[in-house]
Amino acid sequence: MSAAGSADALLARLLRRAESARRRGDNRSVAINMARIDEYIALRTLAEFETFHARIGLAERAGAVRVQRDVHGGDGTKLLRLSVCDVAALARHLGVSLLDERMDAAESRLDPWRARFPVLEEVLAAWRSNRKLRGAGPEAALDLADAAGAVAARLDDVGAERVLRRESARLFGDSKRLEKLTRWLELLVTGEVATSDLCDVEVWAMLGLRREPQPLLLAGTGSATVGEAVLPLPRPFIGLPVEQLRALATDARCLVSIENLASFHDATHAAGAQHALLLYTGGMPSPAWRAAYARILACLAPELPIYHWGDIDEGGFRIAAKLSETATGAGRQLQPWRMSPDALAEAACAAATIPSSAQLARTCAWACRAGWAEVASALQARPLRLEQEQLEPLLPA
């Protein structure tokens, strides 16, 4: 860093300390001993010292800082101590806004959304403490407000899926704006300030946004009512428009939702597939997909068991929790299929990876939210992570 840049960085650090002290109610002048400042100690040439001193001198003439110099040594220009005498003047000198001013602007932008998205209170509290979230501070309030408007629009349009860039153009006049807002979409849709393990595509799916229209893939025997038409279900599977599926008639003995496409295709050829109704969730199921899922459940016999088979990790159980919520709303109980160490062969468990303690805690929390406390207990007893593609397809008897 140049001598000028080092001086400005030092002043910026001094400003942050002064702001922190003011927020704590400490009105004493914030000062630093220059003998302990690496940027100053590292200066070597006369030109570097002159440039550094000149930058500090400008801040002094602006009334921002008070400078104590060593008038008894050398040429009298050596800096001994810097202290802040006017926080606002120092911010103006550096060309930045004070945190209080940035927070006022951020709160004003986010006020219309704070009641609908309680997680915004955590965001604002972090920013007030001068902590960044997802790499950004209160200057990101405009992006966060735009994301809140987009999430609200999608949640109010629960029965339909939308093409990502077309929806972005409709909302913002910019076909790529939603993609740039993904980190904030994730925060709002999960309600968590910490980043999740959701990839961008899964975040968009939670809001019913797809890069291109995606059909509902299902395999089974019987017929589906799509719009006004009744269609037979062919083997091995069929793709139907998710919003147009009205009803389903089947003699299947169970329903299994499957997270990953490769595993879905494998399952359609597995032993017993002719007796099961298989649904591909498309990874994280969208609101429109879950609405179709609820309509399917309403058509099935009350005693018909329903299962979900997905990855044994945080994302897999997050998906399971979403499906379980829909199933519970339809008066059904979703059961896990091959998502517990107790349900797997020893060879499969041995091939799994071991999650970190934080990953395990989040995975078990989502398992409990799915209503599967016994699976969470089994994972705590034998921690593992396993993608369902690592397992050979096996369907309920």
Side-chain angles (χ1 to χ4, degrees):
M1 185 182 293
S2 67
S6 294
D8 288 345
L10 176 61
L11 292 171
R13 192 158 72 245
L14 197 58
L15 175 62
R16 289 194 296 272
R17 291 183 184 178
E19 285 193 282
S20 295
R22 191 163 72 170
R23 287 195 300 277
R24 295 193 304 268
D26 185 350
N27 294 319
R28 291 175 296 176
S29 178
V30 173
I32 52 176
N33 183 344
M34 294 301 293
R36 299 176 181 175
I37 301 303
D38 292 340
E39 295 96 328
Y40 195 50
I41 296 171
L43 299 177
R44 290 291 179 264
T45 69
L46 177 61
E48 287 176 337
F49 275 103
E50 288 179 341
T51 299
F52 193 99
H53 291 162
R55 301 293 284 193
I56 298 300
L58 288 174
E60 182 181 26
R61 286 194 290 277
V65 296
R66 185 177 296 107
V67 182
Q68 181 182 347
R69 296 178 174 85
D70 184 5
V71 297
H72 302 294
D75 61 0
T77 61
K78 182 180 179 181
L79 305 180
L80 298 178
R81 184 180 177 86
L82 289 184
S83 57
V84 178
C85 55
D86 189 326
V87 176
L90 181 53
R92 287 194 300 272
H93 173 73
L94 292 171
V96 300
S97 299
L98 290 171
L99 180 61
D100 288 345
E101 296 170 351
R102 287 181 286 141
M103 282 305 306
D104 287 345
E107 289 181 357
S108 177
R109 287 193 181 279
L110 295 176
D111 267 344
W113 304 111
R114 290 167 74 173
R116 182 156 190 180
F117 301 106
V119 70
L120 292 178
E121 298 303 330
E122 295 181 63
V123 173
L124 291 170
W127 286 347
R128 285 190 203 100
S129 300
N130 207 21
R131 286 192 296 114
K132 290 187 175 183
L133 286 178
R134 305 187 180 215
E139 65 280 356
L142 175 59
D143 285 348
L144 187 48
D146 279 356
V151 172
R154 294 306 306 129
L155 295 180
D156 292 342
D157 188 27
V158 67
E161 291 193 342
R162 296 286 180 256
V163 175
L164 176 68
R165 291 195 171 179
R166 185 172 295 166
E167 182 70 356
S168 184
R170 185 184 74 84
L171 291 173
F172 302 111
D174 178 350
S175 65
K176 297 181 181 178
R177 177 67 171 153
L178 278 174
E179 292 167 69
K180 296 174 183 176
L181 297 176
T182 298
R183 60 176 170 168
W184 302 120
L185 299 176
E186 179 200 13
L187 179 146
L188 294 165
V189 77
T190 62
E192 302 166 6
V193 293
T195 56
S196 70
D197 66 345
L198 293 170
C199 67
D200 290 355
V201 172
E202 291 173 318
V203 173
W204 302 332
M206 291 183 75
L207 294 167
L209 295 167
R210 305 285 189 183
R211 282 198 179 277
E212 61 278 322
Q214 182 169 310
L216 169 64
L217 300 185
L218 59 87
T221 57
S223 62
T225 302
V226 181
E228 302 299 322
V230 178
L231 306 176
L233 300 181
R235 300 286 300 167
F237 65 89
I238 188 173
L240 300 173
V242 65
E243 298 168 30
Q244 296 299 313
L245 179 62
R246 297 288 175 258
L248 196 72
T250 182
D251 58 1
R253 299 173 188 173
C254 66
L255 181 151
V256 184
S257 54
I258 301 175
E259 176 182 344
N260 294 299
L261 185 58
S263 296
F264 171 79
H265 283 300
D266 289 344
T268 63
H269 297 287
Q274 69 274 21
H275 302 304
L277 180 64
L278 308 177
L279 302 178
Y280 169 52
T281 70
M284 175 60 71
S286 68
W289 193 100
R290 298 198 302 272
Y293 181 60
R295 293 193 294 272
I296 290 172
L297 294 179
C299 298
L300 302 179
E303 66 276 8
L304 187 140
I306 61 171
Y307 301 93
H308 177 65
W309 179 27
D311 293 336
I312 303 178
D313 60 16
E314 179 185 350
F317 284 101
R318 187 189 291 269
I319 290 171
K322 281 291 183 183
L323 292 174
S324 182
E325 180 184 316
T326 303
T328 299
R332 311 297 289 254
Q333 182 177 4
L334 183 66
Q335 302 176 58
W337 181 248
R338 309 184 78 192
M339 294 186 69
S340 169
D342 293 345
L344 302 177
E346 177 58 31
C349 292
T353 59
I354 306 301
S356 68
S357 58
Q359 289 171 332
L360 178 63
R362 293 193 298 267
T363 298
C364 290
W366 282 108
C368 289
R369 286 181 64 169
W372 301 343
E374 70 285 356
V375 175
S377 296
L379 284 168
Q380 288 166 343
R382 183 162 191 177
L384 56 81
R385 298 179 71 194
L386 188 69
E387 294 181 345
Q388 66 175 157
E389 292 96 335
Q390 295 175 252
L391 298 174
E392 292 298 319
L394 178 67
L395 296 175

